[in-house]
Amino acid sequence: MRIGIFDSGIGGLSVLHEAYHRLPDQEYIFYADTDHVPYGERDPKEILGYVRETAQFLMEQGVDALVIACNTATSVAVRILRQELSLPIIGMEPAVKPAVEHTDQRRVLVMATPVTLREAKLKSLIARVDGQHRVDLLPMPELVRFAEAEQFDTPELKEYLTKQFSTIRPEEYSALVLGCTHFNYFKDLYRRFFPEDTALVDGNDGTVRYLAHLLSLDIRDELGEVHFETTDQLLEHTAYYTSGKSVTDQETLEHFLRLHNRLEEMRKIR
Ligand code: DGL
């Protein structure tokens, strides 16, 4: 099967990376709309326009399914896209349900972009699953920029996280929901702020499982290491695009390679 995975930027690589683990035999087209990242502070109508354009592009590449590897784009566009297009569309939403159901009785913190936090989709999800009012919300727009700039260990990043987390009490939380795919790059840093038993919950595993279910694909349970040495390996099962342009230059491919290898490290942190 040929599967299109897209995001405003490099956050979606975390979903592709999970797919490499779980569905290694498929063919992927990865699309990052880097001309318009970040989506999370834009007008929803504008985001819908970008998502439509990207979906059209991926349809023209003959994909069998479309994964919106972006919580922000999903909250704005998934319902409309499903009405307009006839192929399977998999969206993402912050993994609030598993966080509320599978952790202890302490509180749950959901981090996401301002648009995701404002949209009705998340509000109705929380109303459905948070009967005990244990969920708190924290916008983290700057993390998207830090990830795009490949800043994973700078003083500015640490300062930003310190400032944001000073507004909450980390010890109150049994789960931290990573409600934006860009947030997967910083798991080592969250660990410095939150107690060891605070679960870091992302939606990648659930998304790839749902994709497998929709396409009747067998999911792989035995997980090996996914590490890339060369950019040729990166291109074996995937064509990469940024805002409609095929990625062929070595610099960008090496950037993606480093990001995949970082995601492999972050994936080990739960
Ligand atoms: N990665 C995206 C998400 O999951 C959006 C980041 C952005 O462009 O603001 O929400």
Side-chain angles (χ1 to χ4, degrees):
M1 293 267 182
R2 180 180 281 194
I3 298 160
I5 298 184
F6 78 93
D7 180 30
S8 59
I10 56 154
L13 284 179
S14 65
V15 179
L16 175 64
H17 196 81
E18 187 64 28
Y20 285 162
H21 272 271
R22 301 289 196 172
L23 299 170
D25 303 323
Q26 307 309 314
E27 188 188 337
Y28 297 98
I29 299 186
F30 178 77
Y31 187 115
D33 191 10
T34 46
D35 283 357
H36 305 117
V37 68
Y39 280 2
E41 294 161 277
R42 288 182 186 274
D43 182 89
K45 281 203 193 79
E46 198 184 359
I47 300 171
L48 176 61
Y50 296 143
V51 172
R52 276 192 172 125
E53 226 171 273
T54 303
Q56 197 53 45
F57 180 90
L58 289 168
M59 299 268 294
E60 282 160 19
Q61 313 302 310
V63 296
D64 299 297
L66 216 53
V67 179
I68 310 178
C70 176
N71 296 262
T72 310
T74 300
S75 61
V76 169
V78 72
R79 200 173 45 84
I80 297 165
L81 226 54
R82 284 193 180 126
Q83 284 164 4
E84 293 176 350
L85 307 174
S86 57
L87 82 175
I89 299 174
I90 294 94
M92 290 190 82
E93 62 184 5
V96 183
K97 193 163 184 270
V100 169
E101 286 174 355
H102 301 301
T103 56
D104 62 37
Q105 286 300 303
R106 284 174 295 160
R107 301 192 66 73
V108 167
L109 184 64
V110 178
M111 302 194 301
T113 67
V115 168
T116 302
L117 294 182
R118 264 199 313 268
E119 282 294 308
K121 196 170 189 309
L122 180 64
K123 292 201 177 110
S124 74
L125 170 68
I126 292 175
R128 255 193 343 268
V129 303
D130 184 25
Q132 297 178 351
H133 304 292
R134 290 164 53 206
V135 173
D136 297 325
L137 307 176
L138 186 63
M140 282 284 197
E142 289 303 323
L143 277 191
V144 176
R145 292 195 178 84
F146 282 115
E148 289 293 326
E150 217 177 331
Q151 283 197 36
F152 302 128
D153 198 20
T154 58
E156 293 79 13
L157 166 63
K158 285 177 205 152
E159 202 179 301
Y160 178 66
L161 286 175
T162 305
K163 186 175 109 234
Q164 294 299 92
F165 290 142
S166 71
T167 63
I168 53 119
R169 293 215 304 226
E171 66 281 4
E172 286 185 345
Y173 294 97
S174 59
L176 175 62
V177 176
L178 313 186
C180 166
T181 48
H182 281 77
F183 297 174
N184 288 289
Y185 289 99
F186 307 101
K187 284 184 173 181
D188 54 345
L189 291 172
Y190 310 141
R191 274 276 153 257
R192 294 190 206 162
F193 290 90
F194 287 83
E196 222 169 279
D197 65 347
T198 302
L200 305 181
V201 187
D202 67 66
N204 290 349
D205 181 55
T207 301
V208 172
R209 281 180 186 278
Y210 187 53
L211 167 69
H213 167 76
L214 279 188
L215 299 182
S216 303
L217 301 170
D218 285 333
I219 202 112
R220 191 147 99 184
D221 277 328
E222 201 51 54
L223 302 179
E225 173 106 341
V226 175
H227 181 87
F228 295 97
E229 296 292 339
T230 66
T231 53
D232 283 350
Q233 287 171 345
L234 205 61
L235 297 172
E236 263 167 33
H237 296 285
T238 310
Y240 289 85
Y241 290 87
T242 50
S243 301
K245 295 175 285 291
S246 170
V247 176
T248 49
D249 66 292
Q250 204 53 23
E251 196 185 327
T252 311
L253 288 171
E254 272 165 21
H255 175 55
F256 286 172
L257 179 145
R258 286 193 301 277
L259 293 171
H260 271 295
N261 290 343
R262 176 160 182 90
L263 287 166
E264 182 63 20
E265 291 313 305
M266 295 302 106
R267 197 174 177 276
K268 295 171 189 155
I269 303 172
R270 299 285 170 179

